[in-house]
Amino acid sequence: MAMTRKQRRLVTIGLAGIVLAIAATLILTAAKDKIVFFYGPTELKTMAASPGQRLRIGGLIEAGSLVKSDDLRVAFRVTDGTTVLAVAYRGLLPDLFREGQGVVAEGVLESDGTFRADSVLAKHDENYMPKEVAEALRKQGVWKGQKNGATP
Amino acid sequence: MLIWLPIALLTGVAVLAVLLPLGSRSKARDEGGDVAFYRARLTEIEGDAARGLIEPQDAEAAKIEAARFLLAAERSGPDEREGAFSLGRRRGAALIGLVLVPVIALAFYGVLGAPDRADAPYAEQQALLKTSTDIDSLMLRVEQQLAAHPDDVKGWQVIAPIYLEVARYNDAVKAYLQLLRLKGPNAADFSGQGEALVLAAEGVVTSEARQVFEQALALDGTQLRARYYSAIALEQDGDRVGALARYREMLQGLPDTNGAAGAIRARMAALIGAAEPSGQNAMIAGMVAQLDAKLEADGSDRDGWIKLMRSYQVLGQRANAEDALVRARKAMASSSEGLAAINAAAQELGFGN
Amino acid sequence: MTVELGHYALILALALAFVQMTVPLWGSLARDPALMRVGRMAAWASFGFVTFSYAALTMAYVNSDFSVLNVVMNSHSAKPLIYKISGVWSNHEGSMMLWVLILVLFAALVAWRGGGMPERLLASVLSVQGAIAFAFILFVVVTSNPFERVFPIPVEGQGLNPVLQDPGLAIHPPLLYLGYVGFSIAYSFAVGALIHGRIDAVFARFVRPWTLLAWLFLTLGISMGSYWAYYELGWGGWWFWDPVENASLMPWLMGTALVHCTVVMEKRDALKVWTILLAILTFSLSLLGAFIVRSGVLTSVHSFASDPTRGVFILGILTFFVGGGLALFAWRAPMLRQGGLFAAVSREGALIVNNLFLAATCAAVLIGTLYPLALEAISGAAISVGAPFFNATAVPLVVMLLAFLPIGQTLAWKRGNLLGAAQRMMVALGISILVSLVMLSMVHGGPVAAPLGVGLGAWLILGSVSEIMSRSWRRGATLRIFVARAFGLPRAAWGAALAHAGIGVTVIGIAATGWGVENLGVLKPGERIEIGAYSLVLDKSFVRNGQGFREDVARFSVMENGGFAGAVETGKRVHAGRYMPTTEAGILTLGLGQVYASVNDFHADGSVSLKAYWKPLVLLIWLGSLLMAAGGGLALIDRRSRIGIVVRSKAAALLAGRPA
């Protein structure tokens, strides 16, 4: 009870400072380690990503490239019209996974240049084109926008 | 019109909602809000203390504090002192209600509304539809039946050829796909699907259509439609000799009276008919030449280029088609989107790259 | 004619919202009671008109009136009636209508219950609420008009989207909206009070029930939404840190902080500035959520309307109300009277810590949600901020808050005794640590965090039990007195304890996901796949035809120790007129855990590839949130927080005893 109003205010401000410092530290550390960058196949090739770094890649699944094996191993190629990237994955593919459709995969780039994905995403809308993929393809001049993209 | 009556009524209600309170002469309520609040709190604390819910010393401290606030509130007096009465102000507010409300409402509704449109509930529309017998409403009825029972094979069988007939080729493709789903793979429906694909592509046997015909022929090598379009595919690839051989083969199993035989013979005649540059082919050739000249003058028409490539392909003039592709690429060099479309079309036609 | 009258009624509500925005404020500034009273009448009238308009739209859906474009796009004559009704809000235009309906409903409720409020405060609050209603009705009328007609009239509608025909989806948007929009009342109170210039305990008492109500609905809405995503999307997860989910989590975090600090303001007349700021920020985050969902600036599994003009319009609304609110705050807040005093170690101090952590968590979620957008705008790099980021930021902050919660809950107002509080909580803490240790030693495998999480959950539950016990028990008192005192505690105290225990239950559910088992495989009939103590045996796969769809189904027997525990069916559905199959997950509830099976592919040889999960105690996640909401409900029906009535009757009694 000996504290004056000023001292109390200081305690409050100090407390706020501590919590904010904790929060800021957590956010900044996480921003360095936990954020995953997205690349199209061409970008990935030109930037020479270090193997082992977590990445997201996206593009169109190249027609005729999908190979499924018995133990749920899948290999396919992703293209942006210019560059082709081989992707290996073990697991279940999403409903919308189709050759010629857009896809986003997250994983690491192996030293042999294949991309080892641990998750493959395609979203649950028939006309959906992942935004990043649309962007990457637009850069390569393949994607023509929603209207032309819809199949008859 | 009838609708303006209820609209006037609703507007009246809205205006009244604004005017009524303005007309009331009552004074501001004398609440003494704060004083009452802190008094209530004091009784509350006393009640809690009496029931032993809080310790006596806590209750005392809380009471002292509440009393302090109560005193402060009493000292400052009620806040609800009324401002000077002003007739002008009330008139101004009344004007907002009387003029602005109807004006805003009618202005917006005038622009956005459709006062002359009646409701059109489904049941009524159906009753109207039942009485008409034109082909469109007949088709609609079948379509509704199919929407409710998508596994009705007969329905799909009826509607698929009608779709081809009325040039709804994409719907025809879907209908044949449904038939294939329900009946399992069979040559006739594969052929139907293929034909629909060809017609949808303005007569070009696309690689997709070709695959479908191959599936049909794998199931039944005698399927006439599939054979016919496979031969046209050869024709469009520029393989005249191969195409002619196929046509001849087809004719062998057909009686002359069969309508298909006539079509095949006409096709053969046209093939050989570099010798016969009259009639339809000549007309088409003329139109193509015109399009070509137009694009030479102004190359910005992306769809025009695709059409030109297609036309040359259909006429079997592959060299010309490839030349058109080169020119189209040059003309579209500045538009990545256009270039992509041209390339895609070329790929579909089976050349380029 | 009904459709057109509904359209006109909506436009009339727009005009009335304009009146409600301007006239009472004018009256409040000029202290003219007649002008102020226009606010209440206008609020009732516009509620009436919007209700009429909404009913007209619903009628158009029920009757399948395909002369209305919105009905054509989103309904179908063959839809079951319940989905025709819920179809009204399962699309952008209709859901904005629901938003507006709830907005004017809350305004009408305030006008109705606010009889005991100081009249100038009520007038200012209704004015601000009128401004919000005006902005959103204008948005609906101009950019998202559900009454647009089409000609010629199509014979059939196009809206048979199977994903949207689901009871979970039918319920959770209205709940979420009641939450989001409910916070508009807190905002209106804050801004109204700033205009009015009077912010004190009386103000807090009036704003608190509305905040609680909004918080309660938002809690239920988020919980329902999470369960919907869990069973409908077939991904086995219940929270994806998806932008739309974050958009609902942020106002919830701030709303939770607001619920707590209105208590401080009401009881102790302290933290006024902060309460006002929180009220403004909470609704701002609700608006931000609306902007994120409606504009499509962030791609998400949920975003169903992406239209730039709408985005710009909502951005305008957002800027106006956030900017306006904060500007007014910056101008008026320094004039606020200093509030009650308290020591650092006290209930007030503990609630400040609570607020700090909640705000910090909210900031972490906000940064994670908007950072990709900012970075793309600045450098063009596309990044994804997903679960790893939030798990490393928001989760530790929440854990710290929760670890400290039971202590804070037991501190006394004004001046607390940390040692005494610690002693009271000793038993609870001891048992919780014991629980963790036992779990650690008994359960092998799984992350270390899981037993610790269960310990934390136990600490929260036992802390709440201990709080109720220590407040009811006195040395030497008999059991009867103890029980009587326990029942005599204010409902708000029970509500707080229940809500805090609910968080504990949810935490245990989340912690137990660490022991979850998942496995994937390709099975022929008769083959099995192991998930922990259970195994799934494929009985058969077959084709089933339902109303409007065809489904490939795989049927599994769930075996436990060789015995039959139940059956699950999972399948792929193809709906009429659609090519994309949807996955139907199969769920078997065993106790509080669930076996979750999600088929991926049916192969030609009759085998089936699937992913199967055993999720122990998973139901606790949602049960806990229901307890939280129930706690909020208890606090709401506490006689002391019933607005208007109690103040008025007590005031009347007092006035009768001692005429003023």
Side-chain angles (χ1 to χ4, degrees):
Chain A
M1 205 44 203
M3 275 202 272
T4 62
R5 190 177 273 265
K6 203 174 209 173
Q7 282 171 314
R8 288 210 183 95
R9 186 171 290 167
L10 279 179
V11 171
T12 314
I13 291 173
L15 214 59
I18 293 171
V19 176
L20 284 182
I22 296 173
T25 317
L26 286 172
I27 291 172
L28 289 177
T29 327
K32 211 181 285 168
D33 306 342
K34 309 285 182 187
I35 280 175
V36 182
F37 280 80
F38 176 91
Y39 302 104
T42 307
E43 283 175 286
L44 191 63
K45 196 172 157 194
T46 51
M47 64 160 281
S50 53
Q53 185 193 346
R54 275 194 79 72
L55 301 168
R56 268 184 174 217
I57 57 106
L60 296 179
I61 305 158
E62 196 181 54
S65 72
L66 180 65
V67 182
K68 291 186 180 181
S69 350
D70 280 347
D71 57 346
L72 297 169
R73 259 173 227 292
V74 187
F76 57 92
R77 287 192 299 275
V78 168
T79 172
D80 56 12
T82 315
T83 316
V84 174
L85 174 69
V87 179
Y89 173 66
R90 179 173 192 272
L92 304 175
L93 294 170
D95 289 337
L96 191 60
F97 191 91
R98 296 270 184 287
E99 294 188 353
Q101 296 281 354
V103 72
V104 171
E106 190 170 324
V108 291
L109 193 65
E110 301 274 307
S111 48
D112 64 352
T114 40
F115 187 78
R116 184 157 305 284
D118 46 36
S119 76
V120 171
L121 306 173
K123 303 220 173 172
H124 70 242
D125 183 330
E126 280 162 59
N127 304 319
Y128 178 77
M129 168 63 70
K131 186 168 149 260
E132 302 93 326
V133 175
E135 203 54 50
L137 292 180
R138 201 168 284 127
K139 282 180 200 160
Q140 301 300 325
V142 172
W143 176 247
K144 294 167 284 185
Q146 296 280 22
K147 274 182 195 124
N148 301 341
T151 46
Chain B
M1 260 184 304
L2 208 58
I3 191 167
W4 295 108
L5 193 68
I7 280 186
L9 216 69
L10 286 175
T11 317
V13 172
V15 171
L16 268 186
V18 182
L19 293 187
L20 272 185
L22 283 176
S24 85
R25 297 231 164 254
S26 68
K27 296 258 165 198
R29 272 176 290 126
D30 183 19
E31 303 268 341
D34 289 18
V35 177
F37 174 82
Y38 289 112
R39 282 218 188 105
R41 173 172 284 178
L42 270 177
T43 14
E44 203 175 88
I45 296 168
E46 275 161 12
D48 282 1
R51 263 176 294 151
L53 295 179
I54 39 179
E55 297 296 309
Q57 70 264 31
D58 289 351
E60 207 47 45
K63 266 166 76 179
I64 290 171
E65 190 167 305
R68 206 156 49 82
F69 282 116
L70 178 62
L71 273 179
E74 271 177 341
R75 213 173 297 135
S76 66
D79 183 47
E80 305 296 324
R81 153 180 76 80
E82 206 170 307
F85 177 83
S86 148
L87 195 62
R89 189 162 56 227
R90 300 226 173 155
R91 283 205 181 127
L95 214 60
I96 291 183
L98 208 55
V99 177
L100 222 51
V101 168
V103 165
I104 292 179
L106 290 172
F108 270 92
Y109 188 72
V111 174
L112 298 166
D116 50 338
R117 292 291 302 274
D119 289 355
Y122 185 72
E124 263 175 38
Q125 294 297 109
Q126 286 302 294
L128 282 180
L129 203 69
K130 283 258 161 53
T131 54
S132 77
T133 50
D134 59 301
I135 180 87
D136 285 344
S137 47
L138 286 175
M139 276 173 75
L140 278 173
R141 246 178 277 166
V142 179
E143 282 173 345
Q144 278 168 14
Q145 161 75 9
L146 287 170
H149 308 280
D151 288 354
D152 176 5
V153 177
K154 227 169 161 189
W156 290 116
Q157 230 146 13
V158 169
I159 202 128
I162 299 182
Y163 278 143
L164 282 180
E165 204 64 40
V166 298
R168 284 169 62 181
Y169 302 125
N170 290 333
D171 288 325
V173 172
K174 287 181 199 174
Y176 280 114
L177 279 173
Q178 291 287 356
L179 281 169
L180 287 164
R181 168 173 80 83
L182 294 167
K183 290 161 64 184
N186 67 84
D189 291 328
F190 272 130
S191 306
Q193 186 202 346
E195 180 167 22
L197 284 169
V198 170
L199 292 172
E202 293 166 34
V204 177
V205 184
T206 58
S207 49
E208 188 189 358
R210 191 178 307 191
Q211 272 174 21
V212 173
F213 288 128
E214 275 163 18
Q215 274 172 294
L217 289 174
L219 290 166
D220 175 7
T222 65
Q223 227 316 317
L224 200 60
R225 255 204 293 189
R227 287 166 71 195
Y228 177 69
Y229 281 106
S230 303
I232 292 182
L234 285 181
E235 232 182 86
Q236 289 174 356
D237 282 351
D239 182 2
R240 293 178 181 213
V241 184
L244 274 174
R246 294 282 186 89
Y247 288 135
R248 269 184 229 109
E249 217 176 329
M250 271 183 262
L251 278 178
Q252 274 171 7
L254 280 179
D256 277 0
T257 50
N258 190 313
I264 294 170
R265 274 206 210 91
R267 199 82 210 173
M268 288 175 72
L271 253 186
I272 308 159
E276 189 201 352
S278 63
Q280 218 181 6
N281 255 2
M283 209 172 74
I284 292 172
M287 277 160 61
V288 172
Q290 214 174 342
L291 178 64
D292 199 336
K294 198 189 99 197
L295 287 169
E296 188 61 39
D298 171 17
S300 65
D301 178 10
R302 184 187 75 190
D303 295 334
W305 283 113
I306 295 174
K307 205 167 177 183
L308 184 66
M309 278 153 45
R310 240 182 218 150
S311 310
Y312 277 129
Q313 181 84 343
V314 174
L315 286 173
Q317 303 180 7
R318 194 180 170 103
N320 282 337
E322 272 172 343
D323 180 48
L325 173 62
V326 173
R327 282 159 59 203
R329 278 184 178 154
K330 218 176 273 168
M332 288 286 138
S334 59
S335 151
S336 60
E337 192 191 310
L339 204 55
I342 297 279
N343 285 335
Q347 209 152 23
E348 197 175 34
L349 292 167
F351 64 90
N353 287 356
Chain C
M1 199 159 73
T2 327
V3 175
E4 287 305 310
L5 285 182
H7 192 178
Y8 185 69
L10 182 66
I11 290 172
L12 265 182
L14 176 74
L16 277 174
F18 180 78
V19 172
Q20 190 188 329
M21 168 169 79
T22 48
V23 175
L25 185 65
W26 185 10
S28 166
L29 294 176
R31 293 173 183 269
D32 187 330
L35 262 60
M36 289 195 258
R37 270 168 222 159
V38 170
R40 292 177 79 181
M41 198 61 111
W44 285 325
S46 48
F47 171 61
F49 284 125
V50 174
T51 308
F52 177 82
S53 176
Y54 190 87
L57 184 61
T58 308
M59 281 303 287
Y61 267 86
V62 169
N63 292 332
S64 295
D65 188 332
F66 295 127
S67 67
V68 180
L69 182 61
N70 189 249
V71 181
V72 179
M73 301 306 288
N74 303 297
S75 194
H76 191 284
S77 65
K79 252 190 193 178
L81 181 64
I82 170 94
Y83 294 121
K84 279 182 185 162
I85 295 170
S86 73
V88 176
W89 64 73
S90 69
N91 62 84
H92 167 76
E93 290 84 359
S95 67
M96 289 316 294
M97 273 297 280
L98 182 66
W99 176 285
V100 166
L101 178 66
I102 294 174
L103 202 55
V104 294
L105 165 73
F106 272 109
L109 282 175
V110 170
W112 173 46
R113 298 295 265 169
M117 271 168 70
E119 219 163 0
R120 290 185 57 218
L121 177 63
L122 178 63
S124 316
V125 169
L126 286 177
S127 250
V128 179
Q129 195 70 14
I132 300 173
F134 179 77
F136 275 97
I137 299 177
L138 191 66
F139 173 71
V140 171
V141 168
V142 174
T143 75
S144 318
N145 199 320
F147 292 103
E148 206 172 305
R149 308 297 288 265
V150 344
F151 192 84
I153 301 166
V155 178
E156 194 46 271
Q158 303 170 2
L160 211 55
N161 189 347
V163 183
L164 301 181
Q165 282 189 36
D166 177 273
L169 199 66
I171 301 166
H172 97 259
L175 287 174
L176 275 178
Y177 287 7
L178 281 167
Y180 279 146
V181 178
F183 285 126
S184 71
I185 296 290
Y187 176 91
S188 296
F189 265 87
V191 172
L194 283 173
I195 295 172
H196 186 56
R198 253 200 52 177
I199 294 149
D200 51 26
V202 183
F203 161 82
R205 167 155 288 194
F206 284 111
V207 74
R208 188 166 143 70
W210 300 109
T211 314
L212 257 174
L213 195 66
W215 179 87
L216 192 161
F217 282 122
L218 193 56
T219 307
L220 287 176
I222 293 175
S223 168
M224 285 287 308
S226 151
Y227 193 69
W228 172 75
Y230 168 75
Y231 79 78
E232 180 65 28
L233 295 183
W235 298 340
W238 53 274
W239 190 262
F240 300 97
W241 294 108
D242 169 292
V244 171
E245 288 169 334
N246 293 347
S248 64
L249 184 63
M250 288 187 283
W252 186 84
L253 289 168
M254 285 312 237
T256 309
L258 183 61
V259 164
H260 285 92
C261 77
T262 47
V263 182
V264 180
M265 188 161 157
E266 183 191 336
K267 296 253 190 223
R268 302 275 312 124
D269 203 30
L271 296 188
K272 291 192 245 184
V273 178
W274 175 240
T275 307
I276 295 288
L277 181 63
L278 263 186
I280 295 175
L281 288 181
T282 305
F283 183 58
S284 302
L285 287 167
S286 297
L287 287 178
L288 181 71
F291 171 65
I292 288 176
V293 180
R294 302 293 155 184
S295 66
V297 286
L298 297 172
T299 37
S300 144
V301 282
H302 292 74
S303 59
F304 57 92
S306 316
D307 180 329
T309 55
R310 289 171 182 166
V312 169
F313 201 115
I314 293 209
L315 194 62
I317 296 181
L318 181 74
T319 319
F320 178 77
F321 285 103
V322 179
L326 291 178
L328 195 64
F329 174 79
W331 175 41
R332 302 284 271 201
M335 301 177 195
L336 289 182
R337 209 164 29 142
Q338 186 74 31
L341 288 174
F342 54 85
V345 177
S346 63
R347 180 77 71 95
E348 294 93 320
L351 286 171
I352 289 183
V353 174
N354 147 306
N355 273 230
L356 284 172
F357 272 108
L358 284 170
T361 311
C362 183
V365 176
L366 183 70
I367 289 171
T369 311
L370 295 185
Y371 186 46
L373 208 64
L375 193 68
E376 199 181 339
I378 295 165
S379 73
I383 58 166
S384 97
V385 177
F389 175 85
F390 295 105
N391 289 342
T393 53
V395 172
L397 287 169
V398 168
V399 167
M400 281 184 254
L401 169 64
L402 296 183
F404 151 89
L405 188 156
I407 300 278
Q409 165 171 238
T410 196
L411 285 174
W413 289 107
K414 204 167 178 185
R415 186 171 3 123
N417 179 348
L418 200 55
L419 203 66
Q423 275 170 349
R424 279 197 294 281
M425 289 294 136
M426 206 60 113
V427 181
L429 184 62
I431 298 177
S432 309
I433 292 175
L434 204 68
V435 167
S436 276
L437 288 177
V438 169
M439 290 261 173
L440 264 177
S441 63
M442 273 175 44
V443 183
H444 297 287
V448 190
L452 295 180
V454 172
L456 178 64
W459 168 227
L460 286 163
I461 297 169
L462 294 171
S464 292
V465 173
S466 161
E467 163 71 4
I468 290 289
M469 299 230 317
S470 69
R471 284 183 70 172
S472 322
W473 188 74
R474 287 289 172 278
R475 197 167 306 193
T478 63
L479 187 67
R480 250 189 56 211
I481 295 177
F482 168 70
V483 172
R485 284 174 62 99
F487 278 103
L489 287 178
R491 291 206 188 111
W494 277 99
L498 191 61
H500 291 156
I503 302 174
V505 171
T506 296
V507 166
I508 293 178
I510 296 172
T513 54
W515 292 308
V517 188
E518 59 179 79
N519 199 352
L520 42 87
V522 184
L523 273 70
K524 287 201 174 64
E527 289 182 339
R528 66 176 55 213
I529 180 171
E530 307 285 335
I531 37 168
Y534 300 92
S535 56
L536 293 182
V537 181
L538 177 60
D539 293 339
K540 56 174 177 176
S541 54
F542 55 98
V543 177
R544 175 162 61 199
N545 289 312
Q547 197 193 354
F549 67 85
R550 171 183 178 276
E551 184 176 9
D552 285 313
V553 189
R555 196 186 155 82
F556 295 89
S557 294
V558 180
M559 312 297 281
E560 182 182 12
N561 303 327
F564 178 76
V568 282
E569 287 182 358
T570 163
K572 289 244 176 240
R573 257 179 216 184
V574 182
H575 288 260
R578 299 197 164 244
Y579 302 106
M580 202 192 82
T582 57
T583 303
E584 300 294 314
I587 294 178
L588 177 68
T589 305
L590 296 166
L592 290 169
Q594 290 186 326
V595 168
Y596 186 108
S598 175
V599 69
N600 186 252
D601 234 338
F602 289 86
H603 303 288
D605 62 350
S607 66
V608 164
S609 52
L610 92 157
K611 194 157 193 179
Y613 308 79
W614 164 239
K615 296 177 170 293
L617 302 183
V618 70
L619 284 180
L620 290 184
I621 295 173
W622 299 290
L623 287 178
S625 65
L626 290 183
L627 284 181
M628 281 186 241
L634 263 184
L636 194 62
I637 58 169
D638 188 307
R639 69 195 155 78
R640 291 180 304 177
S641 61
R642 268 182 257 155
I643 351 114
I645 290 172
V646 89
V647 172
R648 199 189 282 164
S649 62
K650 286 217 166 153
L654 282 164
L655 289 174
R658 200 180 115 189

